[in-house]
Amino acid sequence: MRAGRQSFFAEHPIYLRSSYTIVGPKEGDGNFGDRFDTVLPDDLWGERSYEKAESKMHREAVRGAVCLAGCDADGIDVCLAGDLLNEISASGLAMRYFKSPFLGLYNACATFAEAVIVGSALIDCGMARTAACSSSSHFASAERQYRYPLELGNQRTPTSQWTVTGAGCSVLSSVRPTTEDDEECRTHFKEKMKAMRDECMRAASAEDSECGKGGGIENPFAKRGGDALERMKHKLLRTLRPASLIEPDCDLAYRRTHIVKITGGTLGKVTDFGIDDESNMGGAMAPAAADTLIAHLEDTGRTPGYYDAIVTGDLGRFGTEAFCYLLSKEGITLDNHFDCGAGFFKPEQKTFQGGSGAGCVNVVFNGHIAKRMERGELGRVLVIATGALLNKDTPLQKENIPGIAHAFTAESEPYV
Amino acid sequence: MTDKAEYRAFVKRNSPKSPMWRSLFAAFVVGGLICMAGEGVHDAISALFPALPDEDVGSWTTVVMIFVGAFLTAIGVYDKIGRVAGGGSIIPITGFANSVVSPALEYNREGVFFGICAKMFVIAGPIIVFGIVAGILVGVLGLIG
Amino acid sequence: MSVFLTYLKVFAVGGGLCALGQLLINKTEMSSARILVTFMLLGLVLEVAGVFDAIKEFASSGVTVPITGFGSAIAKGALEGGREGGLLGAVSGGLKAAAPGVSAVILFGFLFALVFRSRSKKI
C-alpha cells in the first residue's frame, strides 16, 4: 500500500525466512567477524580471478540461504541480485546455477535494499511466494574496476573507504516458518547443500563442459576444455592450500526466538549535491540518506524514536558526520543511528572511513542486525542502504557523483 | 533540505586531511633511500666495468633500478612501500616501473594479448606520450634556436 | 669521507624531490601518473635551461634516479640528435635516449605479468 510520496507498507506479512553471509579474511578480522556464516581464509577461494571468486561467493551465499530456508532448487520464485562489477556480471554468472527466474538490479551499494524492496513488493502482490535477495562486492575486483591495479604503490586518501569482500542473501517468503522448519533446515544443512550442488551445478556444468569426469565448473581450475595440467593444478591446490577450497558452513546450533518481517519501505531519489571527489563517497551519499530518511518520516508520520535502530549502509565515519549535519539542519537528531560501514572494521585495520560496497550493508544486516532481531534484542529497525552512482569514466568527464538511498523497515515478532 | 553550496563547504571544511608532516617525512626518507640505492648501483657498475663510459653506466643504473622496482611490484612488496611512502616511492624511476608492471599483472587474467599487452600502459601511458612529444618539441626548437 | 658526503647529498636531494612530490599530492590530490609526468617535465625543462648538469654534478643519483632523470635524458637526446642528424635526429633523439628505460620496463612488465599475479590486500 502506497504511503505518501515515496513509501509503502506491506499489506501481507513478508517473513525473512533465512539469511546467509560469506565474507573474506579481512572482514573476518573485523568487528562483526564472528557473526558471519562463512569466513573465507583466502579471498580468491581457489578461483582464477577475483571476479570469479566474487561470483562464487555470491552463488554460495544464495545456495546457503536457499538451503537454510528449506527450499528446493526450484523452490525460489524469483532471484533478485546485483553487485558492483560491470553489467552486474558476478550476479549474472552466479544465477546460471539456479532454476529460478532472475531479475538483475543495480543501485551501487544500495542494491541490497533495492532487492529487498522489490522482493517484498512481488511477494506482497502475490506474484511470488519466495524471493532470494542477494548482493555481493569484492575488494580486489572493485579496486580494479573503480580505482587502480592492486599492486600500484599509491596512497589511499584519508576519505577513502574499503570495499567489503562479502556476499549475502536473504530469502523472503510469504509463508511463516516454524521452529521445526528451522531445526530441520539447520540439522540437514550439509546434505541439502550437497544435494543442491549435485542437482544444479554438476548438471549445469556437465552439459557444456568438455572436460568430462572430475571437471565441470565446480572444479575451481577447470575451464572449458580444461586439460590434465589444469586438473593437476587443482589437485595440487587441494593438498597445498586446502583452506582456499573450504565449503560453506553454518552454525548448526543457532535457533531464533523471534522472526523478522519486512513491513515496508521508502524508495529513494537520486540526489546530487555537487560532490565530485570519487574518493569521498561518504560525502556524496550522505545527502541521499538524509533525503530518504526525511521522506520516510514525512510519509509515515513516524519519528526516529519509533525505531530501535536506524541503520545506514556505508556512509563511513565522515559520511555519518555529514549525515548528522544534514539532519541537524532539519531539526532531527538521532540517538539510535548505526552505520554499517563505519562500524565494520576495527581502527587498527587501517581502512580510514570504514567499509563500503554492495556487500557491506548486506552482510551486516544478514549477519548482525537480523540475528539481533531474531534474538529479540531489536524490535523495529529502519535500514537505509546508500549508493554512489558513478563509474570510472564519469569523474573524468567532470560529472558529479550523485547518491541514492533506499530504505526498508523490518520488525521482529516472537515465534509462538 | 540544506543548501547545496553550504553542504559542499561543510564537506570541504570537515573532510579528513592527509597528515602533512608525517607524509612529507616518509616521502623524504624513502625517496632518499631509493636514490641512495641508485647511487650504490651506479658505483657498483662503474667499479665492475671501469671501461664503460659514464652515460652507459647511467643507462644501466636505470635498467637495474627498473628491474628492482618491477620485481618488488611482482612479489607484492612495492605497493606496501607505497602505502607508507606515497611520493617517496612514486617519483623514483622504480615508481615508473611500478606503474607499468602493476596493470600488467592486474590484467594478466584477460590473457596476454588484450590483457597484459593492451593494458600495460593504462597508468604510465601519459608519461611515455608526454615524454616523447616534449622530446620532439625540444629537438625541433633546438634546431631552430 | 667524500663518498659519505656524496651519498648524503644524494639522499637529501632525492628525498627533497620526493617530499616536494608528496606536498603536491597532499595539496592537489594528483594521481600518481600526473605526479610522474610533472616531474619528468620538470627534468626536461631543467635540462633545456641548462641547469640540470650542474645539479647532477652536485647530487648525482639524487636527481637522476627520480623520474626527472628520465626527462632530462629525453631532452639531452633530442638536442644532441638535432645537432648530429638534423630534423630526423631531433625527432628521434628523445625516444632514442628514453629507449633503455622504456625497453626495460616493457620487457620486465611483460615477463613478470606472465609469471606473477596481483594479490588482494589486507591493509
Side-chain angles (χ1 to χ4, degrees), chain C residues 99-116:
Chain C
V102 175
S103 306
V105 91
I106 290 177
L107 177 73
F108 297 136
F110 184 72
L111 290 180
F112 286 142
L114 290 178
V115 179
F116 293 94

Side-chain angles (χ1 to χ4, degrees), chain C residues 34-123:
Chain C
R34 277 182 203 278
I35 291 289
L36 280 169
V37 168
T38 309
F39 275 79
M40 186 203 60
L41 291 179
L42 176 73
L44 190 124
V45 168
L46 288 178
E47 178 67 40
V48 173
V51 290
F52 193 88
D53 279 341
I55 304 172
K56 191 175 157 188
E57 198 63 39
F58 175 74
S60 180
S61 291
V63 72
T64 56
V65 168
I67 195 83
T68 43
F70 191 65
S72 96
I74 288 175
K76 192 181 254 174
L79 291 174
E80 269 174 20
R83 277 196 292 275
E84 287 160 14
L87 185 61
L88 194 64
V91 169
S92 60
L95 190 54
K96 219 177 262 174
V102 175
S103 306
V105 91
I106 290 177
L107 177 73
F108 297 136
F110 184 72
L111 290 180
F112 286 142
L114 290 178
V115 179
F116 293 94
R117 290 192 171 165
S118 57
R119 296 147 210 231
S120 189
K121 302 296 161 192
K122 281 193 95 177
I123 50 161

